Amino acid sequence: MKIKITPELVKEYCAVIGDNNPIHDDDNTVKYGHPVAPGILVTAMITRNPKPYWALAKLNVRYHDAVYVGDTIEISNKILKDKMKVCVVEILIHVNDELKQTIEMTTIKLT
């Protein structure tokens, strides 16, 4: 799956969560060359619950590099464990074949 990180998406997300860090703003590109997408935005977009009636139990995220506004992220995942009540999925986020985030998401079945 591919997702485009647009300026509008970043602006709306930052407004909703109250993130006024200037590195996310189009007007402040001096240090990074262009705005940086909030890391948690990328994580939140792709950690949807894979199964109905399952709840997020644990989330480990490793940020390898920044995702920039205008990037198109490519998402791949692999199931590491799928037992009766526990599912563990590894999610990788790439931009142009460069690894940006590694996420391990554990969900549990609600009974």
PDB file of all heavy atoms in Angstrom, residues 86-108:
ATOM      1  N   VAL A  86      -3.727 -13.734  20.205  1.00  0.00           N
ATOM      2  CA  VAL A  86      -2.661 -12.748  20.033  1.00  0.00           C
ATOM      3  C   VAL A  86      -2.192 -12.739  18.571  1.00  0.00           C
ATOM      4  O   VAL A  86      -1.970 -13.791  17.985  1.00  0.00           O
ATOM      5  CB  VAL A  86      -1.451 -13.057  20.951  1.00  0.00           C
ATOM      6  CG1 VAL A  86      -0.313 -12.089  20.706  1.00  0.00           C
ATOM      7  CG2 VAL A  86      -1.861 -13.045  22.404  1.00  0.00           C
ATOM      8  N   CYS A  87      -2.046 -11.537  18.036  1.00  0.00           N
ATOM      9  CA  CYS A  87      -1.508 -11.376  16.682  1.00  0.00           C
ATOM     10  C   CYS A  87      -0.400 -10.322  16.737  1.00  0.00           C
ATOM     11  O   CYS A  87      -0.604  -9.229  17.279  1.00  0.00           O
ATOM     12  CB  CYS A  87      -2.606 -10.945  15.718  1.00  0.00           C
ATOM     13  SG  CYS A  87      -2.040 -10.807  14.014  1.00  0.00           S
ATOM     14  N   VAL A  88       0.767 -10.647  16.208  1.00  0.00           N
ATOM     15  CA  VAL A  88       1.893  -9.720  16.165  1.00  0.00           C
ATOM     16  C   VAL A  88       2.249  -9.500  14.695  1.00  0.00           C
ATOM     17  O   VAL A  88       2.472 -10.458  13.956  1.00  0.00           O
ATOM     18  CB  VAL A  88       3.126 -10.261  16.936  1.00  0.00           C
ATOM     19  CG1 VAL A  88       4.273  -9.263  16.880  1.00  0.00           C
ATOM     20  CG2 VAL A  88       2.753 -10.584  18.376  1.00  0.00           C
ATOM     21  N   VAL A  89       2.294  -8.235  14.298  1.00  0.00           N
ATOM     22  CA  VAL A  89       2.574  -7.875  12.912  1.00  0.00           C
ATOM     23  C   VAL A  89       3.766  -6.924  12.877  1.00  0.00           C
ATOM     24  O   VAL A  89       3.846  -5.985  13.670  1.00  0.00           O
ATOM     25  CB  VAL A  89       1.351  -7.187  12.260  1.00  0.00           C
ATOM     26  CG1 VAL A  89       1.646  -6.782  10.826  1.00  0.00           C
ATOM     27  CG2 VAL A  89       0.128  -8.083  12.319  1.00  0.00           C
ATOM     28  N   GLU A  90       4.694  -7.182  11.962  1.00  0.00           N
ATOM     29  CA  GLU A  90       5.800  -6.248  11.713  1.00  0.00           C
ATOM     30  C   GLU A  90       5.424  -5.415  10.491  1.00  0.00           C
ATOM     31  O   GLU A  90       5.058  -5.955   9.450  1.00  0.00           O
ATOM     32  CB  GLU A  90       7.091  -7.003  11.434  1.00  0.00           C
ATOM     33  CG  GLU A  90       8.251  -6.061  11.131  1.00  0.00           C
ATOM     34  CD  GLU A  90       9.506  -6.818  10.749  1.00  0.00           C
ATOM     35  OE1 GLU A  90       9.457  -7.552   9.740  1.00  0.00           O
ATOM     36  OE2 GLU A  90      10.505  -6.671  11.448  1.00  0.00           O
ATOM     37  N   ILE A  91       5.496  -4.094  10.646  1.00  0.00           N
ATOM     38  CA  ILE A  91       5.146  -3.164   9.573  1.00  0.00           C
ATOM     39  C   ILE A  91       6.380  -2.354   9.231  1.00  0.00           C
ATOM     40  O   ILE A  91       7.033  -1.790  10.119  1.00  0.00           O
ATOM     41  CB  ILE A  91       4.001  -2.232  10.016  1.00  0.00           C
ATOM     42  CG1 ILE A  91       2.792  -3.054  10.476  1.00  0.00           C
ATOM     43  CG2 ILE A  91       3.620  -1.280   8.889  1.00  0.00           C
ATOM     44  CD1 ILE A  91       1.764  -2.271  11.243  1.00  0.00           C
ATOM     45  N   LEU A  92       6.724  -2.294   7.950  1.00  0.00           N
ATOM     46  CA  LEU A  92       7.880  -1.524   7.485  1.00  0.00           C
ATOM     47  C   LEU A  92       7.402  -0.380   6.605  1.00  0.00           C
ATOM     48  O   LEU A  92       6.558  -0.576   5.728  1.00  0.00           O
ATOM     49  CB  LEU A  92       8.844  -2.417   6.703  1.00  0.00           C
ATOM     50  CG  LEU A  92       9.369  -3.649   7.440  1.00  0.00           C
ATOM     51  CD1 LEU A  92      10.226  -4.488   6.513  1.00  0.00           C
ATOM     52  CD2 LEU A  92      10.139  -3.250   8.686  1.00  0.00           C
ATOM     53  N   ILE A  93       7.944   0.814   6.834  1.00  0.00           N
ATOM     54  CA  ILE A  93       7.613   1.994   6.041  1.00  0.00           C
ATOM     55  C   ILE A  93       8.856   2.415   5.283  1.00  0.00           C
ATOM     56  O   ILE A  93       9.908   2.658   5.888  1.00  0.00           O
ATOM     57  CB  ILE A  93       7.109   3.159   6.928  1.00  0.00           C
ATOM     58  CG1 ILE A  93       5.723   2.845   7.512  1.00  0.00           C
ATOM     59  CG2 ILE A  93       6.977   4.421   6.124  1.00  0.00           C
ATOM     60  CD1 ILE A  93       5.731   2.063   8.719  1.00  0.00           C
ATOM     61  N   HIS A  94       8.745   2.487   3.968  1.00  0.00           N
ATOM     62  CA  HIS A  94       9.849   2.870   3.091  1.00  0.00           C
ATOM     63  C   HIS A  94       9.464   4.097   2.263  1.00  0.00           C
ATOM     64  O   HIS A  94       8.302   4.282   1.941  1.00  0.00           O
ATOM     65  CB  HIS A  94      10.195   1.747   2.107  1.00  0.00           C
ATOM     66  CG  HIS A  94      10.863   0.575   2.730  1.00  0.00           C
ATOM     67  ND1 HIS A  94      10.161  -0.448   3.341  1.00  0.00           N
ATOM     68  CD2 HIS A  94      12.168   0.246   2.849  1.00  0.00           C
ATOM     69  CE1 HIS A  94      11.008  -1.343   3.797  1.00  0.00           C
ATOM     70  NE2 HIS A  94      12.235  -0.953   3.517  1.00  0.00           N
ATOM     71  N   VAL A  95      10.463   4.887   1.914  1.00  0.00           N
ATOM     72  CA  VAL A  95      10.344   5.943   0.905  1.00  0.00           C
ATOM     73  C   VAL A  95      11.520   5.736  -0.041  1.00  0.00           C
ATOM     74  O   VAL A  95      12.680   5.763   0.390  1.00  0.00           O
ATOM     75  CB  VAL A  95      10.398   7.360   1.522  1.00  0.00           C
ATOM     76  CG1 VAL A  95      10.408   8.416   0.434  1.00  0.00           C
ATOM     77  CG2 VAL A  95       9.230   7.582   2.475  1.00  0.00           C
ATOM     78  N   ASN A  96      11.211   5.493  -1.315  1.00  0.00           N
ATOM     79  CA  ASN A  96      12.256   5.244  -2.317  1.00  0.00           C
ATOM     80  C   ASN A  96      13.254   4.181  -1.851  1.00  0.00           C
ATOM     81  O   ASN A  96      14.461   4.383  -1.886  1.00  0.00           O
ATOM     82  CB  ASN A  96      12.997   6.535  -2.664  1.00  0.00           C
ATOM     83  CG  ASN A  96      12.080   7.564  -3.249  1.00  0.00           C
ATOM     84  OD1 ASN A  96      11.134   7.244  -3.964  1.00  0.00           O
ATOM     85  ND2 ASN A  96      12.331   8.820  -2.944  1.00  0.00           N
ATOM     86  N   ASP A  97      12.765   3.069  -1.382  1.00  0.00           N
ATOM     87  CA  ASP A  97      13.564   1.927  -0.920  1.00  0.00           C
ATOM     88  C   ASP A  97      14.395   2.210   0.328  1.00  0.00           C
ATOM     89  O   ASP A  97      15.229   1.399   0.712  1.00  0.00           O
ATOM     90  CB  ASP A  97      14.478   1.397  -2.034  1.00  0.00           C
ATOM     91  CG  ASP A  97      13.693   0.814  -3.192  1.00  0.00           C
ATOM     92  OD1 ASP A  97      12.631   0.220  -2.931  1.00  0.00           O
ATOM     93  OD2 ASP A  97      14.137   0.949  -4.337  1.00  0.00           O
ATOM     94  N   GLU A  98      14.208   3.346   0.965  1.00  0.00           N
ATOM     95  CA  GLU A  98      14.916   3.656   2.205  1.00  0.00           C
ATOM     96  C   GLU A  98      13.980   3.418   3.381  1.00  0.00           C
ATOM     97  O   GLU A  98      12.867   3.936   3.424  1.00  0.00           O
ATOM     98  CB  GLU A  98      15.387   5.116   2.210  1.00  0.00           C
ATOM     99  CG  GLU A  98      16.192   5.474   3.430  1.00  0.00           C
ATOM    100  CD  GLU A  98      16.621   6.935   3.439  1.00  0.00           C
ATOM    101  OE1 GLU A  98      16.594   7.588   2.395  1.00  0.00           O
ATOM    102  OE2 GLU A  98      16.983   7.402   4.529  1.00  0.00           O
ATOM    103  N   LEU A  99      14.417   2.607   4.350  1.00  0.00           N
ATOM    104  CA  LEU A  99      13.608   2.288   5.521  1.00  0.00           C
ATOM    105  C   LEU A  99      13.477   3.514   6.412  1.00  0.00           C
ATOM    106  O   LEU A  99      14.481   4.117   6.804  1.00  0.00           O
ATOM    107  CB  LEU A  99      14.243   1.134   6.299  1.00  0.00           C
ATOM    108  CG  LEU A  99      13.465   0.613   7.496  1.00  0.00           C
ATOM    109  CD1 LEU A  99      12.102   0.063   7.076  1.00  0.00           C
ATOM    110  CD2 LEU A  99      14.269  -0.464   8.219  1.00  0.00           C
ATOM    111  N   LYS A 100      12.236   3.895   6.723  1.00  0.00           N
ATOM    112  CA  LYS A 100      11.978   5.079   7.546  1.00  0.00           C
ATOM    113  C   LYS A 100      11.475   4.718   8.941  1.00  0.00           C
ATOM    114  O   LYS A 100      11.821   5.373   9.903  1.00  0.00           O
ATOM    115  CB  LYS A 100      10.943   5.984   6.866  1.00  0.00           C
ATOM    116  CG  LYS A 100      11.380   6.518   5.522  1.00  0.00           C
ATOM    117  CD  LYS A 100      12.485   7.535   5.662  1.00  0.00           C
ATOM    118  CE  LYS A 100      12.865   8.137   4.327  1.00  0.00           C
ATOM    119  NZ  LYS A 100      13.625   9.356   4.460  1.00  0.00           N
ATOM    120  N   GLN A 101      10.608   3.708   9.042  1.00  0.00           N
ATOM    121  CA  GLN A 101      10.076   3.282  10.335  1.00  0.00           C
ATOM    122  C   GLN A 101       9.923   1.767  10.345  1.00  0.00           C
ATOM    123  O   GLN A 101       9.617   1.159   9.329  1.00  0.00           O
ATOM    124  CB  GLN A 101       8.687   3.876  10.605  1.00  0.00           C
ATOM    125  CG  GLN A 101       8.647   5.317  10.959  1.00  0.00           C
ATOM    126  CD  GLN A 101       7.237   5.771  11.326  1.00  0.00           C
ATOM    127  OE1 GLN A 101       6.396   4.962  11.692  1.00  0.00           O
ATOM    128  NE2 GLN A 101       6.988   7.047  11.226  1.00  0.00           N
ATOM    129  N   THR A 102      10.132   1.189  11.525  1.00  0.00           N
ATOM    130  CA  THR A 102       9.825  -0.208  11.772  1.00  0.00           C
ATOM    131  C   THR A 102       8.839  -0.227  12.931  1.00  0.00           C
ATOM    132  O   THR A 102       9.108   0.358  13.975  1.00  0.00           O
ATOM    133  CB  THR A 102      11.081  -1.005  12.157  1.00  0.00           C
ATOM    134  OG1 THR A 102      12.066  -0.851  11.142  1.00  0.00           O
ATOM    135  CG2 THR A 102      10.765  -2.476  12.337  1.00  0.00           C
ATOM    136  N   ILE A 103       7.721  -0.890  12.727  1.00  0.00           N
ATOM    137  CA  ILE A 103       6.683  -0.940  13.751  1.00  0.00           C
ATOM    138  C   ILE A 103       6.360  -2.404  14.037  1.00  0.00           C
ATOM    139  O   ILE A 103       6.174  -3.189  13.115  1.00  0.00           O
ATOM    140  CB  ILE A 103       5.402  -0.216  13.286  1.00  0.00           C
ATOM    141  CG1 ILE A 103       5.715   1.250  12.987  1.00  0.00           C
ATOM    142  CG2 ILE A 103       4.290  -0.351  14.321  1.00  0.00           C
ATOM    143  CD1 ILE A 103       4.627   1.963  12.235  1.00  0.00           C
ATOM    144  N   GLU A 104       6.295  -2.742  15.311  1.00  0.00           N
ATOM    145  CA  GLU A 104       5.795  -4.053  15.703  1.00  0.00           C
ATOM    146  C   GLU A 104       4.521  -3.819  16.497  1.00  0.00           C
ATOM    147  O   GLU A 104       4.526  -3.155  17.521  1.00  0.00           O
ATOM    148  CB  GLU A 104       6.811  -4.814  16.535  1.00  0.00           C
ATOM    149  CG  GLU A 104       6.373  -6.240  16.808  1.00  0.00           C
ATOM    150  CD  GLU A 104       7.430  -7.040  17.535  1.00  0.00           C
ATOM    151  OE1 GLU A 104       8.466  -7.349  16.912  1.00  0.00           O
ATOM    152  OE2 GLU A 104       7.210  -7.342  18.725  1.00  0.00           O
ATOM    153  N   MET A 105       3.413  -4.332  15.978  1.00  0.00           N
ATOM    154  CA  MET A 105       2.105  -4.109  16.580  1.00  0.00           C
ATOM    155  C   MET A 105       1.552  -5.430  17.095  1.00  0.00           C
ATOM    156  O   MET A 105       1.471  -6.413  16.352  1.00  0.00           O
ATOM    157  CB  MET A 105       1.156  -3.518  15.529  1.00  0.00           C
ATOM    158  CG  MET A 105      -0.226  -3.229  16.053  1.00  0.00           C
ATOM    159  SD  MET A 105      -1.259  -2.345  14.864  1.00  0.00           S
ATOM    160  CE  MET A 105      -1.555  -3.625  13.648  1.00  0.00           C
ATOM    161  N   THR A 106       1.187  -5.450  18.368  1.00  0.00           N
ATOM    162  CA  THR A 106       0.576  -6.625  18.972  1.00  0.00           C
ATOM    163  C   THR A 106      -0.872  -6.303  19.284  1.00  0.00           C
ATOM    164  O   THR A 106      -1.166  -5.294  19.922  1.00  0.00           O
ATOM    165  CB  THR A 106       1.302  -7.029  20.270  1.00  0.00           C
ATOM    166  OG1 THR A 106       2.677  -7.257  19.982  1.00  0.00           O
ATOM    167  CG2 THR A 106       0.686  -8.276  20.884  1.00  0.00           C
ATOM    168  N   THR A 107      -1.783  -7.164  18.828  1.00  0.00           N
ATOM    169  CA  THR A 107      -3.195  -7.005  19.133  1.00  0.00           C
ATOM    170  C   THR A 107      -3.687  -8.250  19.854  1.00  0.00           C
ATOM    171  O   THR A 107      -3.130  -9.339  19.708  1.00  0.00           O
ATOM    172  CB  THR A 107      -4.042  -6.785  17.856  1.00  0.00           C
ATOM    173  OG1 THR A 107      -3.823  -7.859  16.956  1.00  0.00           O
ATOM    174  CG2 THR A 107      -3.681  -5.480  17.181  1.00  0.00           C
ATOM    175  N   ILE A 108      -4.733  -8.050  20.663  1.00  0.00           N
ATOM    176  CA  ILE A 108      -5.322  -9.174  21.392  1.00  0.00           C
ATOM    177  C   ILE A 108      -6.817  -9.226  21.087  1.00  0.00           C
ATOM    178  O   ILE A 108      -7.452  -8.199  20.854  1.00  0.00           O
ATOM    179  CB  ILE A 108      -5.089  -9.080  22.908  1.00  0.00           C
ATOM    180  CG1 ILE A 108      -5.635  -7.763  23.467  1.00  0.00           C
ATOM    181  CG2 ILE A 108      -3.626  -9.247  23.244  1.00  0.00           C
ATOM    182  CD1 ILE A 108      -5.629  -7.668  24.974  1.00  0.00           C
TER     183      ILE A 108
END
